[in-house]
PDB file of all heavy atoms in Angstrom:
ATOM      1  N   ILE L 183    -148.104 -49.410 135.057  1.00 98.00           N
ATOM      2  CA  ILE L 183    -147.566 -50.355 136.069  1.00 98.00           C
ATOM      3  C   ILE L 183    -146.152 -50.673 135.767  1.00 98.00           C
ATOM      4  O   ILE L 183    -145.762 -50.906 134.551  1.00 98.00           O
ATOM      5  CB  ILE L 183    -148.368 -51.611 136.139  1.00 98.00           C
ATOM      6  CG1 ILE L 183    -149.807 -51.353 136.468  1.00 98.00           C
ATOM      7  CG2 ILE L 183    -147.714 -52.682 137.029  1.00 98.00           C
ATOM      8  CD1 ILE L 183    -150.734 -52.516 136.483  1.00 98.00           C
ATOM      9  N   ALA L 184    -145.280 -50.551 136.714  1.00 98.00           N
ATOM     10  CA  ALA L 184    -143.841 -50.854 136.574  1.00 98.00           C
ATOM     11  C   ALA L 184    -143.516 -52.315 136.948  1.00 98.00           C
ATOM     12  O   ALA L 184    -143.955 -52.800 137.978  1.00 98.00           O
ATOM     13  CB  ALA L 184    -142.992 -49.932 137.486  1.00 98.00           C
ATOM     14  N   LEU L 185    -142.669 -52.965 136.098  1.00 98.00           N
ATOM     15  CA  LEU L 185    -142.056 -54.229 136.453  1.00 98.00           C
ATOM     16  C   LEU L 185    -140.579 -53.982 136.682  1.00 98.00           C
ATOM     17  O   LEU L 185    -139.928 -53.474 135.781  1.00 98.00           O
ATOM     18  CB  LEU L 185    -142.276 -55.268 135.265  1.00 98.00           C
ATOM     19  CG  LEU L 185    -143.653 -55.924 135.204  1.00 98.00           C
ATOM     20  CD1 LEU L 185    -144.784 -54.892 134.922  1.00 98.00           C
ATOM     21  CD2 LEU L 185    -143.652 -56.992 134.105  1.00 98.00           C
ATOM     22  N   PRO L 186    -140.167 -54.217 137.924  1.00 98.00           N
ATOM     23  CA  PRO L 186    -138.753 -53.861 138.338  1.00 98.00           C
ATOM     24  C   PRO L 186    -137.716 -54.518 137.429  1.00 98.00           C
ATOM     25  O   PRO L 186    -137.945 -55.664 137.004  1.00 98.00           O
ATOM     26  CB  PRO L 186    -138.656 -54.268 139.731  1.00 98.00           C
ATOM     27  CG  PRO L 186    -140.075 -54.241 140.209  1.00 98.00           C
ATOM     28  CD  PRO L 186    -140.865 -54.669 139.070  1.00 98.00           C
ATOM     29  N   ARG L 268    -138.801 -46.691 141.953  1.00 98.00           N
ATOM     30  CA  ARG L 268    -137.973 -47.446 142.843  1.00 98.00           C
ATOM     31  C   ARG L 268    -136.596 -47.584 142.215  1.00 98.00           C
ATOM     32  O   ARG L 268    -136.325 -48.698 141.673  1.00 98.00           O
ATOM     33  CB  ARG L 268    -138.629 -48.811 143.216  1.00 98.00           C
ATOM     34  CG  ARG L 268    -139.996 -48.555 143.904  1.00 98.00           C
ATOM     35  CD  ARG L 268    -140.670 -49.921 144.218  1.00 98.00           C
ATOM     36  NE  ARG L 268    -141.985 -49.745 144.738  1.00 98.00           N
ATOM     37  CZ  ARG L 268    -142.898 -50.758 145.026  1.00 98.00           C
ATOM     38  NH1 ARG L 268    -142.501 -51.931 144.862  1.00 98.00           N
ATOM     39  NH2 ARG L 268    -144.093 -50.444 145.449  1.00 98.00           N
ATOM     40  N   ALA L 309    -154.540 -56.308 138.325  1.00 98.00           N
ATOM     41  CA  ALA L 309    -153.223 -56.473 137.579  1.00 98.00           C
ATOM     42  C   ALA L 309    -151.993 -56.656 138.548  1.00 98.00           C
ATOM     43  O   ALA L 309    -151.209 -57.595 138.354  1.00 98.00           O
ATOM     44  CB  ALA L 309    -152.941 -55.299 136.617  1.00 98.00           C
ATOM     45  N   ILE L 310    -151.924 -55.842 139.570  1.00 98.00           N
ATOM     46  CA  ILE L 310    -150.814 -55.911 140.503  1.00 98.00           C
ATOM     47  C   ILE L 310    -150.710 -57.248 141.183  1.00 98.00           C
ATOM     48  O   ILE L 310    -149.583 -57.850 141.162  1.00 98.00           O
ATOM     49  CB  ILE L 310    -150.845 -54.747 141.538  1.00 98.00           C
ATOM     50  CG1 ILE L 310    -150.867 -53.369 140.911  1.00 98.00           C
ATOM     51  CG2 ILE L 310    -149.776 -54.891 142.541  1.00 98.00           C
ATOM     52  CD1 ILE L 310    -149.497 -53.034 140.308  1.00 98.00           C
ATOM     53  N   LEU L 313    -149.331 -60.011 138.758  1.00 98.00           N
ATOM     54  CA  LEU L 313    -147.966 -59.880 138.526  1.00 98.00           C
ATOM     55  C   LEU L 313    -147.177 -60.410 139.754  1.00 98.00           C
ATOM     56  O   LEU L 313    -146.109 -61.047 139.684  1.00 98.00           O
ATOM     57  CB  LEU L 313    -147.582 -58.452 138.171  1.00 98.00           C
ATOM     58  CG  LEU L 313    -148.030 -57.959 136.819  1.00 98.00           C
ATOM     59  CD1 LEU L 313    -147.923 -56.495 136.662  1.00 98.00           C
ATOM     60  CD2 LEU L 313    -147.250 -58.714 135.743  1.00 98.00           C
ATOM     61  N   HIS L 314    -147.706 -60.070 140.900  1.00 98.00           N
ATOM     62  CA  HIS L 314    -146.988 -60.516 142.200  1.00 98.00           C
ATOM     63  C   HIS L 314    -147.060 -62.072 142.215  1.00 98.00           C
ATOM     64  O   HIS L 314    -146.048 -62.704 142.582  1.00 98.00           O
ATOM     65  CB  HIS L 314    -147.747 -59.964 143.392  1.00 98.00           C
ATOM     66  CG  HIS L 314    -147.455 -58.474 143.631  1.00 98.00           C
ATOM     67  ND1 HIS L 314    -148.058 -57.802 144.662  1.00 98.00           N
ATOM     68  CD2 HIS L 314    -146.667 -57.618 143.006  1.00 98.00           C
ATOM     69  CE1 HIS L 314    -147.621 -56.596 144.634  1.00 98.00           C
ATOM     70  NE2 HIS L 314    -146.736 -56.451 143.647  1.00 98.00           N
ATOM     71  N   GLY L 317    -144.218 -63.642 140.250  1.00 97.00           N
ATOM     72  CA  GLY L 317    -142.875 -63.302 140.656  1.00 97.00           C
ATOM     73  C   GLY L 317    -142.402 -61.840 140.472  1.00 97.00           C
ATOM     74  O   GLY L 317    -141.185 -61.595 140.568  1.00 97.00           O
ATOM     75  N   GLU L 318    -143.237 -61.028 140.125  1.00 98.00           N
ATOM     76  CA  GLU L 318    -142.916 -59.559 139.780  1.00 98.00           C
ATOM     77  C   GLU L 318    -143.381 -58.700 140.946  1.00 98.00           C
ATOM     78  O   GLU L 318    -144.575 -58.665 141.291  1.00 98.00           O
ATOM     79  CB  GLU L 318    -143.526 -59.140 138.453  1.00 98.00           C
ATOM     80  CG  GLU L 318    -142.856 -59.768 137.238  1.00 98.00           C
ATOM     81  CD  GLU L 318    -141.412 -59.439 137.131  1.00 98.00           C
ATOM     82  OE1 GLU L 318    -140.993 -58.314 137.450  1.00 98.00           O
ATOM     83  OE2 GLU L 318    -140.628 -60.379 136.666  1.00 98.00           O
ATOM     84  N   GLU L 319    -142.440 -57.904 141.492  1.00 98.00           N
ATOM     85  CA  GLU L 319    -142.827 -56.936 142.546  1.00 98.00           C
ATOM     86  C   GLU L 319    -143.339 -55.661 141.875  1.00 98.00           C
ATOM     87  O   GLU L 319    -142.739 -54.585 142.016  1.00 98.00           O
ATOM     88  CB  GLU L 319    -141.540 -56.625 143.390  1.00 98.00           C
ATOM     89  CG  GLU L 319    -141.157 -57.733 144.280  1.00 98.00           C
ATOM     90  CD  GLU L 319    -142.316 -58.230 145.238  1.00 98.00           C
ATOM     91  OE1 GLU L 319    -142.951 -57.327 145.828  1.00 98.00           O
ATOM     92  OE2 GLU L 319    -142.484 -59.413 145.426  1.00 98.00           O
ATOM     93  N   ALA L 320    -144.398 -55.819 141.061  1.00 98.00           N
ATOM     94  CA  ALA L 320    -144.974 -54.676 140.302  1.00 98.00           C
ATOM     95  C   ALA L 320    -145.588 -53.701 141.225  1.00 98.00           C
ATOM     96  O   ALA L 320    -146.105 -53.967 142.270  1.00 98.00           O
ATOM     97  CB  ALA L 320    -145.980 -55.241 139.388  1.00 98.00           C
ATOM     98  N   TYR L 321    -145.676 -52.447 140.685  1.00 98.00           N
ATOM     99  CA  TYR L 321    -146.267 -51.312 141.417  1.00 98.00           C
ATOM    100  C   TYR L 321    -146.755 -50.293 140.432  1.00 98.00           C
ATOM    101  O   TYR L 321    -146.286 -50.210 139.342  1.00 98.00           O
ATOM    102  CB  TYR L 321    -145.298 -50.727 142.429  1.00 98.00           C
ATOM    103  CG  TYR L 321    -143.995 -50.078 141.852  1.00 98.00           C
ATOM    104  CD1 TYR L 321    -143.925 -48.785 141.570  1.00 98.00           C
ATOM    105  CD2 TYR L 321    -142.896 -50.925 141.594  1.00 98.00           C
ATOM    106  CE1 TYR L 321    -142.792 -48.226 141.000  1.00 98.00           C
ATOM    107  CE2 TYR L 321    -141.804 -50.361 141.099  1.00 98.00           C
ATOM    108  CZ  TYR L 321    -141.682 -49.049 140.790  1.00 98.00           C
ATOM    109  OH  TYR L 321    -140.547 -48.447 140.253  1.00 98.00           O
ATOM    110  N   VAL L 322    -147.630 -49.432 140.954  1.00 98.00           N
ATOM    111  CA  VAL L 322    -148.126 -48.368 140.100  1.00 98.00           C
ATOM    112  C   VAL L 322    -147.042 -47.304 139.926  1.00 98.00           C
ATOM    113  O   VAL L 322    -146.545 -46.731 140.912  1.00 98.00           O
ATOM    114  CB  VAL L 322    -149.475 -47.712 140.704  1.00 98.00           C
ATOM    115  CG1 VAL L 322    -149.815 -46.494 139.844  1.00 98.00           C
ATOM    116  CG2 VAL L 322    -150.538 -48.746 140.705  1.00 98.00           C
TER     117      VAL L 322
END
Side-chain angles (χ1 to χ4, degrees):
I183 297 174
L185 280 64
R268 299 177 187 176
I310 298 291
L313 290 167
H314 287 177
E318 290 297 324
E319 291 301 318
Y321 62 94
V322 173

